[in-house]
Amino acid sequence: MNRPQPIITRWLSSAPAGVVSAYAILFSFATYFAMFAFRKPFAAASYDGLHSIGGVNLKTALVIGQIAGYGLAKFVGIKFCSETPRRRRGLLLVAMILVAEASLVLFAVLPPPLKPLGMFLNGAPLGMVWGLVVWYLEGRRSSELLLAGVSCSFILATGAVKDVGRAVLAGDSIPLWGVELPNPLPAIDENWMPAAVGLLFLAPFAVAVALLDQLPEPDLRDQQQRSPRTTMDRRRRTAFMARFLPGMALLLATYLCVTAFRDFRDNFMVELFSELGYSYQEHQTIISQSELAVGFGVALALAALYFVRDNARGLAAVFGVMITGLLLLGGSTWLHSHGRLSGFAWMTLIGLGSYLAYVPFGSVLFDRMMASTRTVGTAV
């Protein structure tokens, strides 16, 4: 016996396509934006003079620890996310965030040599949040628009939560895109700041997930145009990889390189802007300003893919966006090294270039691949 649909789901099932798309963009954006409050605020601190095991600079060790947990989660998620039934997605998202917040509390109390362990445990659950969120959005006629919206969320969030983290460290009001929000917390040290920022975003995350979970499944027209999206079991995954192994191997190599560059820029933006002469006292919101421009550029590029209706041509267009990003990254670096770009312009353009190459991997690339090959399964 099927359970009756919630009121919001029933309303969305009969609502105009534009309303459904706006709803999906709003709450997927809010969900993933809030998730970053549990992942990136630690990068707002410098942890100067502290070291981990082996004498490694503590912040470097924290970055490595979190990426190790995050990367491990991606491999676990190949099975875990792709086989998670719809009814469990919302609960799993909230459970993962609670584990991530508990790990930030553990991070706060551990001695410096062991703090990377806390970040490893923090990254592990967060690494599967993206897959579960994207599963709500893939396989729809408007997937490019929806995925552009949620992709924009983490580009904007990575800058915004660092500004929030620096404000919490200083006990200042919280700047968010030109709006000064009240800070209910006193000045907090570098150990407890990540957990404090996460606590501020815990309720917004839970509300966003609850509303995202009301989104109805793709309708018949979606399935006809983009192929049905069903749970991809081991047999289907094996068959897919056997069919596309050479191309997937090349994509993986590119992804690893782009991810390494993107994460270096992302995790050390505070230090990079300081080295370029932009102090926090004079440029309190410079990180979010840079990422706002990057987010707008990436969202515009991905949204433009919506107008390519043929799936094979759409896949080619996705590769075009990625190649353009790589060229922009290299070209802007050459211009900066020859004194033709300011530090702010360079940081913004290498951000735009790296995200244009990086973001399609987690969104439109595999959605278009599934649609153009008519493979039964999920892009997740």
Side-chain angles (χ1 to χ4, degrees), residues 331-344:
S332 60
T333 300
W334 185 88
L335 289 172
H336 177 67
S337 66
H338 286 75
R340 299 181 183 181
L341 275 181
S342 69
F344 177 81

Side-chain angles (χ1 to χ4, degrees), residues 5 17 53 58 60 85 166 169 187-188 207 212 232 240 308 332 357:
Q5 289 184 327
I53 296 173
L58 181 57
T60 300
R166 296 202 291 181
L169 283 171
I188 294 178
V207 171
L212 178 62
M232 188 179 246
F240 181 86
V308 184
S332 60

Side-chain angles (χ1 to χ4, degrees), residues 218-249:
D219 61 24
L220 182 59
R221 289 182 63 193
D222 290 324
Q223 294 179 30
Q224 290 172 342
Q225 185 168 328
R226 292 300 179 94
S227 76
R229 303 305 166 97
T230 61
T231 299
M232 188 179 246
D233 57 22
R234 182 177 181 179
R235 178 183 60 82
R236 286 173 175 168
R237 288 196 302 271
T238 302
F240 181 86
M241 288 302 296
R243 182 181 177 188
F244 298 111
L245 182 59
M248 292 293 287

Side-chain angles (χ1 to χ4, degrees), residues 153-213:
S153 73
F154 68 79
I155 299 171
L156 298 180
T158 189
V161 299
K162 292 184 186 73
D163 285 340
V164 172
R166 296 202 291 181
V168 169
L169 283 171
D172 296 337
S173 57
I174 297 173
L176 202 61
W177 303 321
V179 179
E180 295 289 334
L181 301 176
N183 180 3
L185 303 172
I188 294 178
D189 67 24
E190 292 179 327
N191 294 314
W192 284 98
M193 177 270 292
V197 173
L199 186 62
L200 291 175
F201 283 84
L202 188 57
F205 179 87
V207 171
V209 168
L211 292 169
L212 178 62
D213 201 47

Side-chain angles (χ1 to χ4, degrees), residues 21-31 208:
S21 295
Y23 182 96
I25 290 172
L26 175 61
F27 293 110
S28 61
F29 181 101
T31 297

